[in-house]
Amino acid sequence: MKKLLLILLMPMIGFGQQTYVPDDNFEYYLESNGMGNGILYDDYVFTNAIDTLTTLVMSSFGNDLTGIEDFADLSYLDLPFLSVDSLDLSNNSELTFLRICNSQQIIFLNLNNSFNSNLEILLYGNYNLTCVQVDNVAWAMSNWSPDPWTSFSTNCTVTTSIYEYIFDKELHKITNILGVETRGKKNEPLFYIYDDGTVEKRIVIE
């Protein structure tokens, strides 16, 4: 009887392991795409719902990607209009492609995962990203071409200085939190994306 109970409990314990996802928009994205725990806005998703995912493409979502470190098999990560100020991918050793573009917010990116030689990256239009932490500076400089103001280091010092770039801008599109283009609805968060890469979050309350 004791052996039978142990066998029955083991799969339940494995299934119950969870990953902390504090950002509501990121959690909503995961829940809406079948990668949650079925409980919206509880700050957790099941780890085994995300740790085998290989491709992730997101735009205009929350301000914190905590939890992405448990995407153990993630190899393709595309983040246009990224709205986080820092991103640590040092635990994502399977990454082979990364794009971060047109972000006004990001100031720190950690790619020190011991597998940079397998990684193709596209970094452009990230006006406040001045330093990317990497495995090997010489190798990164020879193989990657980020914005001219972005440098590589094995130990970036994160500062809080953000340089403001002012441009004439026009509205490019409006999307919901899933990145789907919309004309806009009341009482839901919407993202106004401009042609210079800036993103404004708005909610019209009725």
Side-chain angles (χ1 to χ4, degrees):
M1 184 67 176
K2 290 182 179 179
K3 290 182 180 178
L4 178 60
L5 286 174
L6 180 61
I7 293 172
L8 290 174
L9 284 172
M10 283 178 66
M12 292 176 63
I13 293 171
F15 188 73
Q17 185 176 355
Q18 299 196 80
T19 293
Y20 179 54
V21 181
D23 187 272
D24 284 346
N25 289 331
F26 187 29
E27 183 191 357
Y28 181 86
Y29 177 89
L30 297 176
E31 290 282 354
S32 300
N33 287 277
M35 294 178 282
N37 63 1
I39 306 172
L40 196 58
Y41 304 136
D42 72 334
D43 293 340
Y44 287 91
V45 298
F46 284 128
T47 303
N48 66 358
I50 62 173
D51 62 3
T52 57
L53 190 75
T54 59
T55 300
L56 192 60
V57 180
M58 299 183 293
S59 64
S60 304
F61 51 94
N63 298 312
D64 186 348
L65 279 186
T66 296
I68 202 165
E69 63 276 5
D70 282 348
F71 286 69
D73 289 343
L74 188 63
S75 61
Y76 186 101
L77 182 58
D78 192 1
L79 302 172
F81 304 104
L82 183 65
S83 56
V84 306
D85 57 11
S86 65
L87 182 59
D88 188 345
L89 298 174
S90 58
N91 287 328
N92 302 98
S93 59
E94 297 299 313
L95 270 182
T96 57
F97 176 86
L98 171 67
R99 180 173 75 130
I100 298 175
C101 63
N102 302 315
S103 170
Q104 299 291 320
Q105 284 77 28
I106 189 165
I107 60 175
F108 174 68
L109 174 62
N110 187 353
L111 295 178
N112 194 346
N113 64 7
S114 301
F115 291 94
N116 284 178
S117 58
N118 297 329
L119 179 60
E120 174 190 356
I121 66 170
L122 297 174
L123 301 175
Y124 57 89
N126 307 307
Y127 299 113
N128 294 303
L129 181 60
T130 57
C131 185
V132 177
Q133 192 158 310
V134 296
D135 299 340
N136 184 295
V137 173
W139 187 92
M141 291 178 64
S142 299
N143 291 275
W144 295 337
S145 301
D147 291 313
W149 54 82
T150 301
S151 62
F152 300 112
S153 173
T154 55
N155 186 21
C156 289
T157 301
V158 181
T159 66
T160 56
S161 299
I162 298 178
Y163 302 95
E164 183 178 5
Y165 290 77
I166 300 175
F167 302 94
D168 292 329
K169 60 184 181 181
E170 295 182 2
L171 183 64
H172 176 61
K173 64 180 178 178
I174 303 172
T175 70
N176 60 22
I177 59 176
L178 296 177
V180 178
E181 193 165 351
T182 178
R183 292 188 177 182
K185 295 180 181 179
K186 295 181 179 179
N187 300 318
E188 77 168 358
L190 298 173
F191 297 90
Y192 287 67
I193 302 171
Y194 294 89
D195 59 356
D196 67 344
T198 57
V199 180
E200 294 178 358
K201 180 179 178 182
R202 300 182 188 177
I203 302 177
V204 178
I205 307 243
E206 184 177 59

